[in-house]
Amino acid sequence: MSRFVTLSKSAPEFKSYLDGSFSSSLVAIPTSTLNVQTESETVTFNVVEQAEVKRPSSAIFYFKLFKVRSFLWIMFPMLIILWRAKVEHVLHDDVVALATSLGLLALYAGLNLRNDHFDHMSGLDRIIPTAGSQAIQKGWIRAVEVKSISNKFILLAASLALPCVAAFPMTAVYILFAFVVSYASHLREKKGMNDWIGGEIAFFVLIGPLLCSGYEFSMSGMFRKDTLFFGLLWGWIVLFSRHLKNLENILIQSQVGWKNLITTWGFDRALQIIRWWWFALVIFFFFYQHAFGGYVWSWYLTLGIGFYSISFLIKTAEAKSPVGSKLRDLRTRGQFLVILVMASFLVEHVWYTIQSLRD
Amino acid sequence: MANSVIEQKIANQLSHKIYDSKDFPAYLPKLNQLYDDLFAGGKGFRAKLIKMISESLRLDSRTEQLLAQTIEFIHNASLLHDDLVDRSQLRRGKPAAWTKYTPEYAVLAGDYLLARVMVNLSGYGNIQLVQYTAQMISDLLEGEWLQDSVVGDFFVTLEQLDRIHNLKTASLFKWCLRSGFIASERYDKELHHTLEECGTILGQLFQRSDDLLDYDIRNDEGKAVLGDLKSGYLNSFGAYISKGKSSAQIDQLVRSTTLEQFYTAIGGKAEFDRALASFDEMNKEMIQLYHHHLDNLQKLLPADEQILVGKLRPLTDLLYWRKRPS
């Protein structure tokens, strides 16, 4: 059985249909719309029996729900920093390191889920099909359940922060700073971090230098310049990937009125920004390696990345439409370059680990 | 991308003539002759839709004429420009305007129709109607621009094409449904949201049905097959059927010059039929949604206007399944 129900925002049962709390046996799946101005006022739900919703295997379900691939954005810098700290014997103790690591992962999971809940309740996932994890959109799980799981993870993260703060009380400053940045960019503005330039700057700070320096400090009590610069470089890399995704969705994002870097500058100039952003990244990478990695590493790794950048730059020239497949190809190519940079760091760290073990 | 001749299935005549040579200056050489050719061929389906709405809302004949003329002028202006952009030689079985006259005249004639629309609407005096019409023209042009930008891209997805068609095709259908209410100064948000969703679905179904003609599906009028593909454009059914195919398969698809070659490239006739059945099933769900929106529309209209819902219901049969109205 399936039936359609259209409700306006002013209807008393609207919120319960939207977050799924209206029934325990039925699921209300909002239908997507191509009319961006109207979606926020009225929503048509496809109401089906919970049993009729085809849910994938548990593995795929949780993989999609938690957006496991996106964990790469925090797990990679965490891996590098933890690795260094371990090799250089600067960890306070393993318990604090474990608590910090698990706490960050729990926080990331919780915030990701909360973001999906926000996208759903604001209507974003009805206009931009790729927004969110798809789990709510496909009726696999109710939005109210996602919020509940998100709260549990955030609470877990808060609990795991306690040993870190106990070990290094100044960690609380990092946590407070992160909260202030998040509040100013997301909660106060009631916008996603992707839909205005202020949000993108905040995201850069949170996922880049704050994550890296804060993570290291909470495990070692140390604030180091190379970690800070690594954080800045990492934030730049993550934003590069984000800009590519925004470019792929520039049409829809522009239609809904988002004002991030890509939509503000428009299609033609955004392609130039992407090129220059990558170029700046390569230069930054070179100087970072030169300062902290070594002369040989800086040249070899940068030349390797530079070589593979050529095809990416060619792809930026091939992109002629804000729809179509060329932007998808560009994003895929850009992701490959990001993986290459990450692989470079890994290779370098393996090398230095072997060297230090020999010593 | 050839203009659908579905208008030919509609037997009812318009009560008013859409184009009159007295509306255009006779001192401009070839202009009226060009418009005579242009308006003679079409059957004015969109104007018929306006008539349907106008009768149900009991609009005066002046308003009905204005709205019908507006939509047909805009639609035909887009055809004039479209044929030149696509370098189409024929329009409705006759030489396209840019080939019979000059490309310059075709462009200017299209622009003149749009200018005429603005003159007529601003004279009517309903600023909301002027604004909405201007927005619709803007959407139409955006859709045309975007469609041109994906010519030659055979990896475009159905979802992306839907966004283009929502601008290029559905915007006119939405206008047809909403303009009568705006002209009557009825601006209820829920009503217009419902009409907009109905218009989007009608536009999508119309476009998808037109795209199926390219593969000789329900092709009673004998439209040339694979015309879109040969023009370098992967239409909605093409995008649907090629989803998930490898680059080599898509390359083979694109090179098809006959349907038999296309079937072979897609994996056989059985595979083609399976994809068609799935495509139809997907559109049936959209039709169900359309009927749901009409049920809502019924609740939003006063009793004496609900006859409109009955008139709108069979449109999906006409536009998608190409069934003659009984």
Side-chain angles (χ1 to χ4, degrees), chain A residues 2-266:
Chain A
S2 77
R3 60 185 180 94
F4 294 111
V5 173
T6 297
L7 295 169
S8 67
K9 249 188 176 177
S10 57
E13 63 271 41
F14 178 81
K15 189 170 178 293
S16 67
Y17 266 75
L18 195 58
D19 69 13
S21 58
F22 76 106
S23 167
S24 56
S25 60
L26 299 172
V27 176
I29 305 171
T31 58
S32 58
T33 179
L34 294 169
N35 299 312
V36 300
Q37 286 82 17
T38 57
E39 62 78 32
S40 56
E41 300 299 325
T42 310
V43 178
T44 298
F45 298 92
N46 185 8
V47 182
V48 299
E49 296 279 348
Q50 177 80 70
E52 281 180 28
V53 176
K54 275 188 221 166
R55 201 160 141 172
S57 64
S58 294
I60 294 176
F61 169 70
Y62 286 111
F63 188 89
K64 291 268 190 189
L65 178 67
F66 287 103
K67 292 188 281 189
V68 168
R69 274 192 299 196
S70 73
F71 274 76
L72 195 64
W73 298 129
I74 65 160
M75 285 182 77
F76 179 77
M78 284 171 64
L79 173 67
I80 296 293
I81 290 161
L82 183 62
W83 189 332
R84 277 190 203 168
K86 197 79 178 152
V87 167
E88 292 166 11
H89 307 291
V90 297
L91 288 180
H92 180 267
D93 66 65
D94 289 344
V95 171
V96 170
L98 185 65
T100 304
S101 304
L102 292 177
L104 264 177
L105 292 174
L107 182 66
Y108 187 75
L111 291 177
N112 243 349
L113 290 170
R114 181 54 64 89
N115 193 54
D116 285 352
H117 179 266
F118 174 82
D119 285 351
H120 182 73
M121 300 304 285
S122 66
L124 198 65
D125 62 359
R126 291 190 288 288
I127 301 171
I128 302 180
T130 53
S133 66
Q134 305 296 303
I136 303 175
Q137 289 140 296
K138 290 185 175 157
W140 297 346
I141 187 169
R142 296 182 173 81
V144 65
E145 290 167 337
V146 169
K147 188 177 180 184
S148 171
I149 298 172
S150 148
N151 289 341
K152 291 183 172 79
F153 272 98
I154 292 171
L155 196 61
L156 175 64
S159 310
L160 288 167
L162 293 173
C164 312
V165 174
F168 304 107
M170 284 297 287
T171 305
V173 174
Y174 284 95
I175 296 170
L176 184 65
F177 187 52
F179 178 76
V180 167
V181 170
S182 301
Y183 177 76
S185 64
H186 177 52
L187 296 167
R188 191 180 74 105
E189 299 292 326
K190 289 195 172 30
K191 292 181 187 182
M193 283 194 175
N194 217 14
D195 54 4
W196 69 303
I197 292 177
E200 289 182 310
I201 295 171
F203 186 73
F204 167 79
V205 168
L206 288 169
I207 207 84
L210 192 59
L211 169 69
C212 295
S213 293
Y215 181 54
E216 183 171 66
F217 185 86
S218 63
M219 292 189 298
S220 64
M222 294 169 70
F223 175 81
R224 297 198 288 182
K225 215 167 44 173
D226 61 338
T227 304
L228 175 66
F229 278 102
F230 175 74
L232 289 167
L233 179 59
W234 182 247
W236 195 263
I237 290 170
V238 175
L239 270 193
F240 169 74
S241 183
R242 209 145 180 164
H243 290 326
L244 283 173
K245 197 164 182 193
N246 287 344
L247 184 63
E248 199 180 346
N249 290 310
I250 189 172
L251 173 63
I252 312 167
Q253 289 184 1
S254 300
Q255 285 179 332
V256 300
W258 282 14
K259 292 290 177 200
N260 54 44
L261 189 71
I262 296 298
T263 56
T264 301
W265 284 95

Side-chain angles (χ1 to χ4, degrees), chain A residues 6 33 35 127 321 325 328, chain B residues 149 153 155 163 174 200 292:
Chain A
T6 297
T33 179
N35 299 312
I127 301 171
S321 172
S325 64
R328 199 166 58 237
Chain B
S149 74
D153 184 348
F155 296 87
R163 290 198 183 273
K174 286 188 269 186
T200 294
H292 163 73

